[in-house]
Every structure is written in structure tokens, then in C-alpha cells.
């Protein structure tokens, strides 16, 4: 088996990569040969040699960082029946994580796949386009062409998968081609390589939910303990907003991958080369189950976060209701005091009129009547004010407690 080391070096900033082309081919009964090329013209020469042979070979061509014209030449060579509009749709896909079956003089599967950049997954404040590499592909039973601008997570694993002939690439064992040491030669198919590519890419998007769920649980426990204040409430709302954004981004990515797997396992695809093999359907189903489990946990975390937001709003309303009830009670006490003072004001205003009134100073030479009236007013005030003042002080003590 001819192999060459594949060393992809991610770049900083925009998602770009150097030109690198890889061809993995296998003739029936022979080992898989993987070749790396720096120039796309060398790829065309190698493919013409493969097509000129009498034996049919399974070929996977990976075009990294090539121009549209170079990719177009490879597609025209391997898929001569593809129409120009279909080729342009592959080179400039309008959406990703979508496939389309083209029954044009044979079955072709075209589509695009959103792959995670080979760099470390970035934080939530970075744009999603900087973390994504779009991989377009065209596939039939013999040929698979993948085109992307930069290396992505899962590409090295796929190359190693093709090299060792493991997992999904073990379609059938031809014992008559075993060497003296008993090494098996396995048959490679385009649908199997595509299945491995989709499975590896989907698994790289599976997030580790332990930290996310822990943050949601912590916020759920502390939401009712947040004291009224501009600083604490703003911090809580900011944390909830960041978690919502993270969960929304992850859900959008995983839902697209789940939809893609459903299309590849659908009844239409099972009658074609894409999912005719039961092993491929089994592999798609396993990845689909993993995605479903992650999405279910994300759904539970999102419901918990919604309850956190609802509890926070209810706590704010509860504090507002408590403050309103306290003000209402104080206004009731003040109204009672005002009502008690009304007879006193009436009596004082009665004796303050500019006219002759009973027990005036002109008729009596002492202050006995005055002190009697003052005693009655004082007694009235003490008797009537006792209960409202007592309730007012009791409410203040309850507020302090």
C-alpha cells in the first residue's frame, strides 16, 4: 500500500487552507492506494490513467483549497453526465447539510456538509462562519469527490479509515486475495466512504453537555436567592442570555445533522446505492440515536432554563406585590389616623370661629372649660390612636424580620 503523510496545518483568522489533493483508489482484489498531490493538474493526469484501465476502480478524490475551475474539471472528468447547473450548484451550494439524488443516466448524489474547523472550537462570541468549513460532494457507487476550502475535523480520521479498511469500508472479504500472512483485502465503495464522512462529521459536532447542564442547574438554584438590585439582576439576565445563545446555536447545528441523517436513511435512499447496504443504514442509525439523545438532553436543559426565567419573573412580581401590599397597609393606617383627627379639627375650628360660642372667656373667669375640652380631645386621641399605631409598629417589625 502506497501512503504519504498527510499534515494539515490550520490557519488563524479566516477559514482558508493550502491546496492539497488526495486520491484514494482501489482496484478489485488490491489494496487501497492513497496519493497526495500539490497541483490539481496532477490529479487529472492520475484520474485519466485510472479511467483508461480496463478494470473498474473505486476512487475517492478530496480537493482542498482548489479553485472552482479546477474542481469543475475533476467533476466533468468523473461525472460526464452531470449538467452544468448541477455542477454549479455543487461548487456554490445555497445551503448546507442537505443532499439531493440526481437520477441522470445513473444515480448521483450531490450535497454539501457543514464541518467543524480543525482549529479548537471557538467561544460563543465568535461568528459561526469562522468555525465552519463547507464540504461539497458528488458521489455514485464508484466515485466520490469532496471539495472544501480548508481541513476540518474528521478528515484525518476518514483518511485513516480508508487506509486501514476498517469499519464501514469492510463491505466484503475476498479471501482469494489474501497474502501469505493471512491479511484480508477489503472492498471500498463510494457510498461507504460517504457514510464514514457523514458519521465522523456528525460526531465532531456532538457537544459535551456536562458543563452546560451544570451552569443551568446552578442558575436554577440561585435564581430565587438573587437580591433585588440592578447589579445582581443584570448579571443573572446576562448569564441566561449567554446560555440561551449557546443552546440555540448547538440546537440549530444538531437539527440540521439530524435532518440530513433522516434523508440518508429514508425510503428513497434505501432503494439506491446510498443506503442499499444494511451496514450503512445501521451506521447512520447509530449516529442518529446519539444525536437524538443529545437533543433530548438539550431540550431538558432548555426547559429548565425557561423555568429559571419564569421563576425570576415571578420573583420580581412577588417582590413588587409585597412592596405594593406594604404601601397599601401604610396608607390604610394613615387613613385611619386622618379619620380620627377629623372630629378634633371640627371641634377646634368650631371654637375658632369669629362669633360668640359657649364657655368663652367673656363669660367665665377661669380655664376649667378649656382644660376639660383639652382633656376630652386628648382622651379621644389616645383611645382611637392606640390600635392604628400598634398595627403600624407591628408591620415595621415584620419587615425588619
Amino acid at each position: 500500500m502506497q501512503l504519504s503523510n498527510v499534515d494539515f496545518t490550520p490557519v488563524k483568522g479566516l477559514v482558508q487552507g493550502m491546496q492539497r489533493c488526495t486520491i484514494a483508489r482501489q482496484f478489485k482484489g488490491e489494496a487501497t492506494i492513497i496519493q497526495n498531490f500539490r497541483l490539481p493538474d496532477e490529479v487529472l493526469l492520475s484520474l485519466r490513467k485510472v479511467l483508461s484501465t480496463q478494470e473498474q476502480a473505486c476512487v475517492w478524490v478530496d480537493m482542498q483549497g482548489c479553485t472552482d475551475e479546477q474542481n469543475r474539471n475533476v467533476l466533468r472528468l468523473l461525472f460526464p453526465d452531470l449538467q452544468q447547473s448541477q455542477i454549479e450548484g455543487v461548487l456554490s451550494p445555497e445551503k448546507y447539510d442537505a443532499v439531493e439524488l440526481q437520477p441522470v443516466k445513473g444515480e448521483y448524489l450531490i450535497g454539501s456538509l457543514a464541518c467543524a474547523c480543525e482549529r479548537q472550537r471557538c467561544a460563543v462570541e465568535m461568528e459561526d462562519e469562522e468555525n465552519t468549513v463547507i464540504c461539497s460532494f458528488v458521489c455514485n457507487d464508484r466515485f466520490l469527490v469532496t471539495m472544501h476550502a480548508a481541513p476540518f475535523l474528521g478528515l484525518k480520521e476518514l483518511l485513516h479509515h480508508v487506509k486501514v479498511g476498517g469499519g464501514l469500508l469492510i463491505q466484503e472479504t475476498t479471501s482469494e486475495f489474501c497474502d501469505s500472512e493471512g491479511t484480508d483485502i477489503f472492498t471500498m465503495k463510494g457510498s461507504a466512504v460517504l457514510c464514514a464522512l457523514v458519521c465522523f462529521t456528525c460526531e465532531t459536532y456532538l457537544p459535551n453537555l456536562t458543563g452546560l447542564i451544570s451552569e443551568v442547574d446552578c442558575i436554577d438554584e440561585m435564581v430565587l436567592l438573587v437580591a433585588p438590585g440592578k447589579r445582581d439582576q443584570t448579571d443573572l439576565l446576562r448569564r441566561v442570555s449567554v446560555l440561551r445563545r449557546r443552546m440555540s446555536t448547538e440546537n440549530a447545528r444538531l437539527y440540521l445533522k439530524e435532518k440530513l441523517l433522516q434523508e440518508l436513511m429514508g425510503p428513497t435512499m434505501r432503494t439506491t446505492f446510498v443506503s442499499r447496504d444494511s451496514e450503512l443504514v445501521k451506521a447512520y442509525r447509530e449516529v442518529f440515536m446519539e444525536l437524538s439523545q443529545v437533543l433530548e438532553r438539550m431540550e431538558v436543559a432548555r426547559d429548565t432554563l425557561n423555568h429559571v426565567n419564569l421563576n425570576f419573573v415571578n420573583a420580581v412580581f412577588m417582590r413588587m406585590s409585597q412592596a405594593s401590599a406594604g404601601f397599601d397597609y401604610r396608607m390604610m393606617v394613615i387613613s385611619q389616623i386622618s379619620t380620627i383627627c377629623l372630629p378634633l379639627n371640627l371641634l377646634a375650628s368650631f371654637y375658632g370661629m369669629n362669633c360668640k360660642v359657649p364657655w368663652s372667656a367673656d363669660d367665665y373667669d377661669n380655664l376649667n372649660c378649656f382644660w376639660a375640652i383639652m382633656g376630652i380631645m386628648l382622651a379621644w386621641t389616645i383611645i382611637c390612636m392606640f390600635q392604628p399605631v400598634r398595627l403600624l409598629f407591628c408591620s415595621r417589625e415584620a419587615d425588619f424580620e
Side-chain angles (χ1 to χ4, degrees), residues 26-82:
Q26 182 191 45
F27 292 97
K28 185 176 181 181
E30 297 182 2
T32 303
I33 300 176
I34 299 179
Q35 293 177 318
N36 291 329
F37 301 94
R38 293 289 183 180
L39 299 177
D41 295 337
E42 298 177 356
V43 176
L44 293 175
L45 294 176
S46 179
L47 291 176
R48 288 191 178 96
K49 292 180 181 179
V50 173
L51 295 177
S52 62
T53 59
Q54 298 295 330
E55 299 181 11
Q56 291 187 351
C58 180
V59 180
W60 169 38
V61 182
D62 182 70
M63 307 288 289
Q64 174 185 310
C66 300
T67 62
D68 289 346
E69 185 63 29
Q70 294 168 347
N71 293 330
R72 190 179 292 109
N73 293 333
V74 174
L75 291 177
R76 287 174 178 172
L77 179 63
L78 295 180
F79 305 97
D81 297 329
L82 279 181

Side-chain angles (χ1 to χ4, degrees), residues 286-330:
E286 289 178 356
V287 178
F288 179 79
M289 293 301 297
E290 293 179 3
L291 283 176
S292 300
Q293 293 176 1
V294 173
L295 286 173
E296 288 178 1
R297 296 182 63 188
M298 293 281 288
E299 189 72 22
V300 173
R302 187 174 63 178
D303 292 341
T304 304
L305 198 60
N306 291 334
H307 287 299
V308 168
N309 195 17
L310 184 61
N311 291 335
F312 174 74
V313 174
N314 291 335
V316 173
F317 285 156
M318 181 179 64
R319 294 189 181 101
M320 293 176 62
S321 300
Q322 290 176 349
S324 178
F327 285 121
D328 291 342
Y329 182 77
R330 289 178 176 83

Side-chain angles (χ1 to χ4, degrees), residues 122-177:
C122 302
V124 294
E125 59 268 11
M126 296 191 65
E127 296 295 334
D128 187 60
E129 288 78 5
E130 298 182 9
N131 298 330
T132 304
V133 177
I134 303 300
C135 178
S136 302
F137 60 86
V138 181
C139 177
N140 61 11
D141 199 23
R142 289 184 54 199
F143 303 121
L144 171 64
V145 179
T146 55
M147 297 160 288
H148 50 93
F152 54 86
L153 291 177
L155 181 59
K156 291 183 179 180
E157 290 81 358
L158 181 59
L159 287 172
H160 180 73
H161 200 75
V162 174
K163 178 179 67 176
V164 300
L168 299 175
L169 302 184
I170 304 176
Q171 299 294 322
E172 57 185 12
T173 303
T174 53
S175 58
E176 62 269 24
F177 295 103

Side-chain angles (χ1 to χ4, degrees), residues 49-340:
K49 292 180 181 179
V50 173
L51 295 177
S52 62
T53 59
Q54 298 295 330
E55 299 181 11
Q56 291 187 351
C58 180
V59 180
W60 169 38
V61 182
D62 182 70
M63 307 288 289
Q64 174 185 310
C66 300
T67 62
D68 289 346
E69 185 63 29
Q70 294 168 347
N71 293 330
R72 190 179 292 109
N73 293 333
V74 174
L75 291 177
R76 287 174 178 172
L77 179 63
L78 295 180
F79 305 97
D81 297 329
L82 279 181
Q83 300 179 3
Q84 183 64 28
S85 60
Q86 296 172 342
I87 295 178
E88 296 301 327
V90 174
L91 297 178
S92 301
E94 297 180 356
K95 56 182 180 179
Y96 53 87
D97 287 335
V99 293
E100 184 178 355
L101 189 64
Q102 300 289 340
V104 180
K105 294 183 180 180
E107 295 173 336
Y108 298 92
L109 185 70
I110 63 176
S112 59
L113 193 64
C115 307
C117 183
E118 197 177 43
R119 300 174 300 167
Q120 186 177 1
R121 293 293 292 273
C122 302
V124 294
E125 59 268 11
M126 296 191 65
E127 296 295 334
D128 187 60
E129 288 78 5
E130 298 182 9
N131 298 330
T132 304
V133 177
I134 303 300
C135 178
S136 302
F137 60 86
V138 181
C139 177
N140 61 11
D141 199 23
R142 289 184 54 199
F143 303 121
L144 171 64
V145 179
T146 55
M147 297 160 288
H148 50 93
F152 54 86
L153 291 177
L155 181 59
K156 291 183 179 180
E157 290 81 358
L158 181 59
L159 287 172
H160 180 73
H161 200 75
V162 174
K163 178 179 67 176
V164 300
L168 299 175
L169 302 184
I170 304 176
Q171 299 294 322
E172 57 185 12
T173 303
T174 53
S175 58
E176 62 269 24
F177 295 103
C178 297
D179 56 14
S180 59
E181 297 180 357
T183 304
D184 293 335
I185 302 298
F186 302 107
T187 302
M188 182 181 72
K189 293 184 179 180
S191 58
V193 179
L194 177 62
C195 179
L197 173 63
V198 173
C199 292
F200 283 141
T201 304
C202 292
E203 289 177 352
T204 57
Y205 269 91
L206 292 177
N208 185 7
L209 298 180
T210 304
L212 180 64
I213 295 177
S214 298
E215 292 183 23
V216 174
D217 292 338
C218 290
I219 291 181
D220 187 24
E221 293 177 358
M222 65 179 290
V223 61
L224 297 179
L225 303 178
V226 175
K230 184 177 181 180
R231 183 179 62 181
D232 293 341
Q233 292 184 358
T234 303
D235 181 70
L236 178 65
L237 293 176
R238 182 187 62 82
R239 291 175 182 270
V240 173
S241 177
V242 170
L243 285 176
R244 282 183 179 277
R245 181 180 177 185
R246 287 176 56 187
M247 295 173 64
S248 176
T249 302
E250 295 294 343
N251 275 330
R253 293 170 178 169
L254 296 181
Y255 276 131
L256 290 176
K257 294 291 186 292
E258 186 181 39
K259 181 181 178 182
L260 174 64
L261 292 173
Q262 288 177 345
E263 292 179 358
L264 293 174
M265 293 187 301
T268 303
M269 296 297 182
R270 291 196 181 188
T271 59
T272 64
F273 72 95
V274 179
S275 300
R276 186 180 294 118
D277 195 334
S278 60
E279 293 296 327
L280 301 181
V281 178
K282 181 180 178 181
Y284 286 134
R285 186 176 291 111
E286 289 178 356
V287 178
F288 179 79
M289 293 301 297
E290 293 179 3
L291 283 176
S292 300
Q293 293 176 1
V294 173
L295 286 173
E296 288 178 1
R297 296 182 63 188
M298 293 281 288
E299 189 72 22
V300 173
R302 187 174 63 178
D303 292 341
T304 304
L305 198 60
N306 291 334
H307 287 299
V308 168
N309 195 17
L310 184 61
N311 291 335
F312 174 74
V313 174
N314 291 335
V316 173
F317 285 156
M318 181 179 64
R319 294 189 181 101
M320 293 176 62
S321 300
Q322 290 176 349
S324 178
F327 285 121
D328 291 342
Y329 182 77
R330 289 178 176 83
M331 290 301 298
M332 181 191 68
V333 174
I334 293 174
S335 299
Q336 291 178 357
I337 295 175
S338 300
T339 304
I340 293 170

Side-chain angles (χ1 to χ4, degrees), residues 1-7 20 22 34-37 163:
M1 182 182 298
Q2 297 180 3
L3 297 175
S4 58
N5 295 329
V6 180
D7 184 15
R20 186 182 295 271
T22 303
I34 299 179
Q35 293 177 318
N36 291 329
F37 301 94
K163 178 179 67 176

